[in-house]
Amino acid sequence: MKIAIVCYPTFGGSGVVATELGLELARRGHEIHFITYSQPVRLALLNPNVHYHEVIVPEYPLFHFQPYELALSSKLVDMVKLHKIEVLHVHYAIPHAYAGYMAKQMLKDEGIDIPMVTTLHGTDITLVGNHPFYKPAVTFSINKSDYVTSVSQSLKDDTLKLFSIKNEIQVIPNFIELDKSKNDPTIPCRRSVMANDNERIITHISNFRKVKRIPDIIKIFYKIQKEIPAKLMMVGDGPEKEKAEKMCRKFGIQDKVIFFGNSNEIDRILCLTDLFLLPSETESFGLAALEAMACGVPVISSNSGGLPEVNLDGVSGYLSDVGEINEMAKNALKILKEDSVLAEFKKNALHVAESFDIKNILPIYEALYLKAINKYKTFV
């Protein structure tokens, strides 16, 4: 199949998922065309089946904000015609599904019918999309898509609750490449670099926005380290980082907390980790939790959004209501205090992650693409 993938090229979850999906599809012999405004951060162009087409938005003094949607829809039309693309897969309702629909209409005028699959990821629905300024456009874009998927049942439920949706929404969860998550045997997992032998290592990875409840992480760790020797690794950057650093100094634990900033060595960091903290206000899926579990790291998380679909309570970790800091700390200590208990949770976390392996998820997308293409062929 010839598939165009439209996504954001940044570090965000939707861009990572879209890129990894495209790369795996290419490895399976499909011709993949990424269409966005810059090369996705995880995109390697070493596969002859992978192509990247940059959307260039000309700057005109007339426009206060440059019209990316117009440039994207025009680029889609050109690439579909040039490469005979068979299906569009757009990640994020706006602006991508909106631009995709406009491209479909322009192509239709030239006698070309092409199906569009739209994948909903989270903030395009619960935050940006639900804003009164954008809600009509989001509703329109979803309803005009040929097929719609969401990354969790929770996100599907939110979409149906917030918007007047006529389309069916199929839940296809996010995924992990377990082969990539396995530690390279040639690179030793040297815990001694970060902690003493008797110390547990706890990790959090995010963009440090308010929704991640960064102060809760510091408070949970403060309670943990009073009971057992421990270190906290904070990976990422964002508006809440400075506040977290001040809290560590206030609690007198600054020597036990390491702030890494953004890192491209997530797997190596998770290799050292005993427990992952994700007490977010909400998560449409919880990809960071899944990445930790794929490295055999149990998770302490909130029970909001799609997290209960990823982190199984009492199996791969524990779930608590948002803000239940004391309970989260107690559950963390249940896992960390005994080596045998920690080993069991690590094994369970990896086992749960295996069900989200890309090898299990990718055939679902392939079947959906074929269904969409064959549906349109019947109209010819």
Side-chain angles (χ1 to χ4, degrees):
M1 289 180 282
K2 295 184 177 182
I3 305 160
I5 292 180
V6 182
C7 64
Y8 283 114
T10 52
F11 273 102
S14 67
V16 168
V17 167
T19 304
E20 297 293 354
L21 173 63
L23 292 175
E24 186 64 21
L25 286 164
R27 284 191 281 269
R28 290 170 69 105
H30 303 291
E31 185 178 311
I32 306 301
H33 296 263
F34 288 94
I35 303 175
T36 184
Y37 58 81
S38 66
Q39 184 172 321
V41 292
R42 291 198 184 182
L43 179 59
L45 297 174
L46 299 178
N47 187 314
N49 289 330
V50 176
H51 308 270
Y52 162 61
H53 310 288
E54 182 178 1
V55 179
I56 298 173
V57 185
E59 292 190 11
Y60 294 110
L62 173 66
F63 297 122
H64 185 63
F65 297 105
Q66 304 309 315
Y68 178 65
E69 292 88 343
L70 292 179
L72 175 57
S73 58
S74 296
K75 187 73 173 184
L76 286 170
V77 169
D78 291 342
M79 293 303 100
V80 168
K81 291 160 62 178
L82 179 62
H83 298 285
K84 302 187 186 308
I85 289 167
E86 298 172 278
V87 61
L88 303 178
H89 188 178
V90 300
H91 294 258
Y92 248 61
I94 52 171
H96 300 151
Y98 194 82
Y101 172 76
M102 294 305 299
K104 278 168 57 71
Q105 295 307 109
M106 287 187 277
L107 287 163
K108 197 170 185 178
D109 282 351
E110 299 188 37
I112 300 172
D113 280 318
I114 184 169
M116 180 173 72
V117 176
T118 296
T119 292
L120 311 176
H121 283 271
T123 52
D124 53 339
I125 298 300
T126 57
L127 185 61
V128 179
N130 196 39
H131 193 286
F133 292 172
Y134 301 115
K135 196 166 187 175
V138 173
T139 304
F140 177 86
S141 300
I142 294 173
N143 283 329
K144 290 298 181 179
S145 300
D146 296 288
Y147 294 94
V148 183
T149 74
S150 71
V151 297
S152 68
Q153 181 64 43
S154 171
L155 181 59
K156 175 182 176 178
D157 294 342
D158 286 343
T159 304
L160 295 175
K161 180 175 66 177
L162 295 171
F163 301 89
S164 299
I165 301 302
K166 300 171 186 176
N167 255 335
E168 291 292 323
I169 299 178
Q170 179 180 353
V171 176
I172 304 179
N174 282 338
F175 50 81
I176 194 76
E177 291 188 78
L178 279 177
D179 290 342
K180 280 189 176 182
S181 298
K182 291 176 181 175
N183 297 323
D184 186 341
T186 64
I187 302 176
C189 188
R190 298 174 58 191
R191 286 174 52 91
S192 59
V193 174
M194 292 297 166
N196 297 324
D197 290 342
N198 67 328
E199 290 179 314
R200 300 299 195 196
I201 297 178
I202 300 158
T203 297
H204 171 78
I205 302 171
S206 78
N207 53 18
F208 285 59
R209 291 183 294 130
K210 280 193 174 182
V211 71
K212 302 298 180 181
R213 297 186 70 91
I214 301 300
D216 285 7
I217 294 164
I218 305 302
K219 292 173 185 176
I220 293 165
F221 176 73
Y222 178 69
K223 293 178 181 295
I224 292 171
Q225 59 85 40
K226 287 201 296 185
E227 299 286 331
I228 60 172
K231 287 282 179 67
L232 174 64
M233 300 196 294
M234 298 287 284
V235 185
D237 205 348
E240 294 289 288
K241 183 180 177 183
E242 185 177 350
K243 182 191 294 184
E245 291 171 329
K246 288 180 179 178
M247 286 183 67
C248 290
R249 291 192 291 271
K250 177 183 175 182
F251 291 159
I253 56 173
Q254 64 271 22
D255 60 331
K256 298 181 180 181
V257 182
I258 304 165
F259 288 88
F260 286 88
N262 290 322
S263 173
N264 290 319
E265 296 186 303
I266 299 302
D267 291 346
R268 294 189 68 183
I269 291 170
L270 290 173
C271 162
L272 310 171
T273 301
D274 296 306
L275 186 71
F276 192 82
L277 294 181
L278 194 64
S280 306
E281 192 79 31
T282 186
E283 294 279 349
S284 60
F285 178 81
L287 187 59
L290 178 58
E291 289 180 335
M293 290 160 55
C295 293
V297 180
V299 176
I300 295 293
S301 74
S302 57
N303 57 12
S304 64
L307 281 168
E309 299 171 47
V310 181
N311 182 24
L312 302 187
D313 191 43
V315 180
S316 58
Y318 286 106
L319 298 164
S320 297
D321 290 341
V322 174
E324 287 291 336
I325 296 166
N326 290 333
E327 183 178 291
M328 290 182 186
K330 287 179 182 178
N331 287 336
L333 289 166
K334 284 182 190 177
I335 295 173
L336 294 172
K337 277 190 170 181
E338 299 292 336
D339 289 346
S340 59
V341 175
L342 177 58
E344 184 68 18
F345 270 93
K346 281 178 171 284
K347 182 179 73 174
N348 291 345
L350 179 57
H351 180 68
V352 172
E354 286 171 351
S355 64
F356 295 94
D357 189 0
I358 193 169
K359 293 182 177 64
N360 299 324
I361 307 301
L362 188 125
I364 304 173
Y365 277 115
E366 286 180 310
L368 183 59
Y369 298 148
L370 279 173
K371 182 180 178 182
I373 292 169
N374 289 333
K375 176 183 175 182
Y376 268 60
K377 281 181 179 178
T378 62
F379 296 151
V380 178

